[in-house]
Amino acid sequence: MGAAPSALTDSSSASLGQFGCHGNSSEKSQPLSTGSANSFAPSGHSRQSSSSSSATARLQQTLKRRVAWLRRRSSPDPAKQFRAFIADWSSADLRVLLDEFEALHALKDAHLGAAAARPQCSSLCQDLGCLLRTGLGSDTRLILGGVAFPVHRAVLAARSNFFARLFANGEDYDSAATGGADYPLDLCVPGGLDPELLRALLAYLYCGEVSLARLSAPATVAALCHELGAPGRLSDDLAQLLDTGHLADCVLIFEEAEPRARRIELPCHRALLACRSPFFAGVVEKRLAAARRHRRRRLVRCAVHGGGDGVGDAQLAEPPLALVLDEAVLPRRLAPAMLTCLYTDRLPDCLALRDLMDLHEIGRFLELPCLTRASEDLLVESLCPDTLVPVLDWSGAGTGSAWVHRQARLFLCEEFAALAVQAPRVLTQLSRRELLAALRSDFLQAAESDVLSALIAWGEAQVAARAAEIVAESQQTGAPAGFSRKTGGGGGLSSGRQKRAAGSAAAAAASEELSSVLGDLVSQGLRLEHLLCPDSLQEAVRRKLLPKDAGLSRPAAWLHAGGGGGSDGGYRHPRLFAPHLEEIRSVLSDRTRDLTLAQCPPEPPRRLPASPQPAAVAPPDAASAAAAAAGLWGGHGGGGPDLVATLPPGCSPIDPATAASLLRRVQELLSGSLFVRAGLLPAADRAALHRQAQLWAVREFGLPDSAAALLPGRLPDVAFHA
């Protein structure tokens, strides 16, 4: 019973297009009659037997009934159906419903902003700028006017041909362990090269920032380009540095994990590893400290022995820093992609979906925010019907990405109706939790008839999967499967009645099983008060998914003032379905255009101005914000909830300064134009707007969504004033 309707639905367009849907019945059946005769009768026969004619007639009648069934079963256009539903509404009721939809539209904008929020991630330019300022892992010094500038040879050589030639004849010993070699620097630039200009020049080479006006002067730019050469894009220069391995001072080693696996060594640069990952920074710092201690011990031994053994800097040379990696943490096949992202902030586009998921987990373990961010971006870009279910399952797990999970859910809500038509198998593969989350959304792009059809298809798939598991288990154990497809027995005059009775019993059993599988999904996911399609309602009642007294939607259920009831007797918003919103605007526009000014004077505009002035909000000073945060987050004195005790076990405690910044961020969001415009709408749900602002802020700070419940429901300084 469950497989036949889906198969007929898939072939409905082809059947209707081939057999025709217009004219009388003979015109409909004429192409089919010709095709059927040609396919069943040999080409050389001039006469057909009576049995062949009767078979053809029966086939025609069967296909006629099938076409008629398909025409009855095909659901009408949701937009046309909704337009017919609101055709006799008054203009006042339509404006009330339009206000409701416009408030939902503004809330959706806030919801999208909160869903896209995630912690800030430092870029390649920012990390290299920090590397220059701190001098971490510097292996040489530039000397100008008695001022030493710790720098990194690999970065400067990749960015400038001048420095590549300067460092080409440098020492071979481990300069990072010895403190680095000194290179006096003298460049011919207008006005001379002073330490301030050199500092600005290094900042430009490291991170592409022009921090000094003199550096951007045309004469200075021309002189520096002549001396240093024009650098390319930062990511391109560093990608070439990785490919060539020039001045590499670190090696990632993968040992032979399997008998046939060969040893792999990937050259890289420890300064870049250290500036992009706190994990690698700690490892590099420990190894360099150990190398310095080892070198001092060797120098002491040389001094004790009188230094007559000819030990020099070349013999004291240290090999490149070797980092042996465990393939259980970083598989060797993903190491090149990780290094590419570390040097360029990008990942190759050819990576498989499973590789992106593994790289995200690797980035979290190795504290590589750039790798985590790049893998998340590619996962979201790869969302399509084929990847939606795997991405939802992975991102919803504990090791997945909450940001990717939110984007995948948004994709499901936006493409729900299209998936139901073009890729129904995707919806049947969803987990119960993901399906229910989508159906509960106010922004699901689907009519209630589509929701009901998707629920039935999902339930049928679950029933079929359960039956397949029972059959497989019975085949393994040798026990009977527990159900039988036998529909009747015996012969004679009562065989037809027995078959019909058995078929009815089987249909009733299938409906009961479908109802038990769906459970409360129908009551929680379907908004029955907004169902407009009578065919869908009859199908659900026939399958005992809805009570027999269930009726179609009525206008009062769509209007908040009408007290329309949901399953709990309270009002539930109609979904922000785009075709419904467009139809309301179209109907109101048509009525306004048809009326003359004398009959209906123009009403004052109900829309907000393009740029409303936000309410004047005085930001709290640091002392008051810290005091409020201490009472809210610390649980001392203020009587507020203790966030440290409420957050999940894996979350780090929050200091009062961070809590104060979080409160200020919530206030900034509520004072912004997005939330002010939404709050000024006539039907605005301000509690929901505050909830989205709180979620937005805690996600930017990297906190779980449960932390939003500990924020005040509404900051006292924020108000929506017209």
Side-chain angles (χ1 to χ4, degrees):
M1 185 65 184
S6 61
L8 293 177
T9 303
D10 295 339
S11 62
S12 61
S13 58
S15 301
L16 295 176
Q18 179 181 358
F19 305 142
C21 293
H22 304 284
N24 53 33
S25 59
S26 62
E27 292 175 351
K28 294 182 190 178
S29 60
Q30 182 62 34
L32 177 63
S33 176
T34 304
S36 301
N38 292 337
S39 56
F40 285 100
S43 58
H45 286 229
S46 60
R47 294 180 300 177
Q48 295 182 348
S49 63
S50 59
S51 60
S52 177
S53 300
S54 60
T56 303
R58 286 196 301 271
L59 180 61
Q60 291 178 1
Q61 293 298 328
T62 302
L63 288 174
K64 285 180 183 179
R65 290 194 297 268
R66 177 182 176 187
V67 170
W69 181 83
L70 286 172
R71 294 179 63 183
R72 291 194 306 269
R73 188 179 185 273
S74 57
S75 58
D77 183 11
K80 294 181 180 179
Q81 200 171 44
F82 183 72
R83 189 181 186 93
F85 176 68
I86 63 174
D88 56 348
W89 284 28
S90 65
S91 298
D93 288 343
L94 286 177
R95 291 191 181 97
V96 171
L97 186 57
L98 180 61
D99 290 340
E100 188 75 22
F101 275 165
E102 287 181 342
L104 280 175
H105 195 281
L107 179 61
K108 181 180 180 180
D109 292 338
H111 174 72
L112 293 177
R118 54 179 169 175
Q120 293 292 329
C121 175
S122 58
S123 64
L124 176 64
C125 298
Q126 293 171 339
D127 287 339
L128 288 179
C130 181
L131 181 68
L132 176 63
R133 290 190 299 270
T134 60
L136 176 65
S138 61
D139 52 10
T140 190
R141 290 184 296 267
L142 300 180
I143 307 299
L144 179 65
V147 181
F149 295 86
V151 294
H152 307 82
R153 294 186 301 167
V155 177
L156 293 181
R159 298 284 285 155
S160 169
N161 294 331
F162 170 82
F163 287 109
R165 293 190 300 268
L166 180 65
F167 301 142
N169 298 323
E171 293 84 349
D172 294 331
Y173 56 83
D174 188 3
S175 52
T178 61
D182 295 338
Y183 288 90
L185 192 63
D186 187 16
L187 298 175
C188 297
V189 296
L193 183 64
D194 53 43
E196 184 181 12
L197 181 60
L198 179 58
R199 187 175 291 106
L201 175 62
L202 292 175
Y204 174 74
L205 292 176
Y206 269 73
C207 50
E209 296 178 354
V210 179
S211 58
L212 188 65
R214 180 185 168 192
L215 187 62
S216 59
T220 305
V221 171
L224 289 176
C225 288
H226 177 73
E227 292 283 343
L228 304 179
R233 193 168 61 173
L234 179 61
S235 58
D236 294 340
D237 290 341
L238 293 184
Q240 185 178 5
L241 177 66
L242 176 63
D243 293 338
T244 59
H246 183 54
L247 297 176
D249 52 7
C250 184
V251 178
L252 300 183
I253 300 176
F254 294 89
E255 297 287 355
E256 299 179 0
E258 300 178 357
R260 296 185 178 180
R262 60 187 180 88
R263 175 188 174 98
I264 294 181
E265 296 184 0
L266 298 177
C268 54
H269 304 82
R270 55 193 173 204
L272 284 167
L273 292 180
C275 76
R276 310 238 55 193
S277 165
F279 174 84
F280 282 121
V283 173
V284 169
E285 185 62 30
K286 291 179 181 179
R287 294 292 184 88
L288 289 180
R292 285 191 289 266
R293 291 193 299 269
H294 180 64
R295 184 179 180 84
R296 284 196 296 267
R297 287 195 297 267
R298 294 183 65 182
L299 288 175
V300 169
R301 287 198 298 269
C302 293
V304 169
H305 293 291
D309 54 354
V311 176
D313 286 338
Q315 291 174 298
L316 289 174
E318 297 288 342
L321 181 63
L323 299 179
V324 181
L325 299 178
D326 185 2
E327 288 207 58
V329 177
L330 177 60
R332 63 179 67 193
R333 61 184 174 84
L334 298 179
M338 183 203 70
L339 289 177
T340 299
C341 181
L342 193 144
Y343 277 67
T344 64
D345 270 348
R346 300 190 304 266
L347 280 172
D349 297 333
C350 59
L351 290 173
L353 191 67
R354 185 67 254 177
D355 293 341
L356 292 174
M357 297 175 183
D358 292 340
L359 284 172
H360 182 272
E361 298 175 6
I362 291 169
R364 293 178 58 182
F365 182 82
L366 298 181
E367 300 180 65
L368 278 169
C370 61
L371 182 60
T372 304
R373 176 66 62 92
S375 59
E376 287 179 346
D377 292 339
L378 283 184
L379 281 169
V380 173
E381 290 177 8
S382 67
L383 281 176
C384 65
D386 295 334
T387 61
L388 176 60
V389 175
V391 170
L392 278 173
D393 293 342
W394 169 80
S395 59
T399 58
S401 167
W403 184 81
V404 174
H405 194 228
R406 293 195 295 270
Q407 308 314 307
R409 282 187 169 181
L410 288 177
F411 179 86
L412 174 60
C413 290
E414 289 294 327
E415 305 296 334
F416 192 89
L419 290 173
V421 175
Q422 301 175 8
R425 184 182 296 272
V426 175
L427 297 183
T428 61
Q429 293 174 350
L430 292 173
S431 65
R432 187 185 187 90
R433 185 187 69 163
E434 297 300 336
L435 180 62
L436 183 58
L439 298 184
R440 283 177 171 175
S441 174
D442 289 336
F443 315 118
L444 184 71
Q445 293 304 300
E448 296 306 319
S449 57
D450 298 330
V451 171
L452 184 56
S453 300
L455 279 172
I456 293 176
W458 184 86
E460 289 175 345
Q462 302 303 313
V463 171
R466 181 180 299 179
E469 292 178 358
I470 294 175
V471 171
E473 183 179 355
S474 64
Q475 290 177 352
Q476 293 178 358
T477 59
F483 66 93
S484 175
R485 296 186 180 272
K486 189 174 181 180
T487 58
L493 298 176
S494 62
S495 60
R497 296 179 181 176
Q498 292 177 356
K499 290 181 179 180
R500 286 193 295 271
S504 301
S511 298
E512 292 179 0
E513 190 171 4
L514 178 62
S515 179
S516 64
V517 167
L518 290 177
D520 57 350
L521 278 178
V522 177
S523 59
Q524 296 187 18
L526 177 67
R527 303 186 181 185
L528 179 60
E529 64 273 19
H530 302 145
L531 182 62
L532 301 177
C533 183
D535 294 339
S536 300
L537 179 62
Q538 293 174 7
E539 179 72 10
V541 171
R542 185 182 65 83
R543 293 188 172 222
K544 300 181 180 179
L545 301 178
L546 294 176
K548 293 183 179 181
D549 57 349
L552 291 176
S553 179
R554 50 192 177 87
W558 295 74
L559 302 175
H560 188 50
S567 59
D568 56 351
Y571 174 75
R572 283 197 295 187
H573 293 288
R575 300 187 198 274
L576 184 62
F577 190 30
H580 290 177
L581 177 58
E582 294 302 323
E583 288 300 325
I584 295 175
R585 290 173 175 171
S586 176
V587 171
L588 284 176
S589 177
D590 293 342
R591 293 185 182 183
T592 305
R593 185 172 58 251
D594 294 340
L595 293 177
T596 61
L597 295 178
Q599 294 173 337
C600 183
E603 296 184 0
R606 302 174 62 85
R607 299 290 185 88
L608 292 176
S611 300
Q613 295 295 328
V617 178
D621 54 4
S624 60
L632 175 66
W633 304 95
H636 300 290
D642 187 359
L643 179 63
V644 178
T646 309
L647 287 179
C651 296
S652 303
I654 301 175
D655 57 286
T658 303
S661 300
L662 179 60
L663 292 176
R664 285 194 297 268
R665 179 55 180 160
V666 175
Q667 194 172 39
E668 289 174 2
L669 289 171
L670 291 175
S671 304
S673 60
L674 173 63
F675 285 89
V676 170
R677 287 173 60 87
L680 290 176
L681 291 173
D685 187 351
R686 297 183 179 178
L689 289 172
H690 281 280
R691 170 68 177 172
Q692 296 302 321
Q694 294 162 355
L695 289 173
W696 193 325
V698 298
R699 288 167 181 171
E700 285 184 346
F701 280 75
L703 299 174
D705 291 352
S706 58
L710 303 177
L711 291 172
R714 176 172 176 175
L715 294 179
D717 294 337
V718 177
F720 297 109
H721 300 297

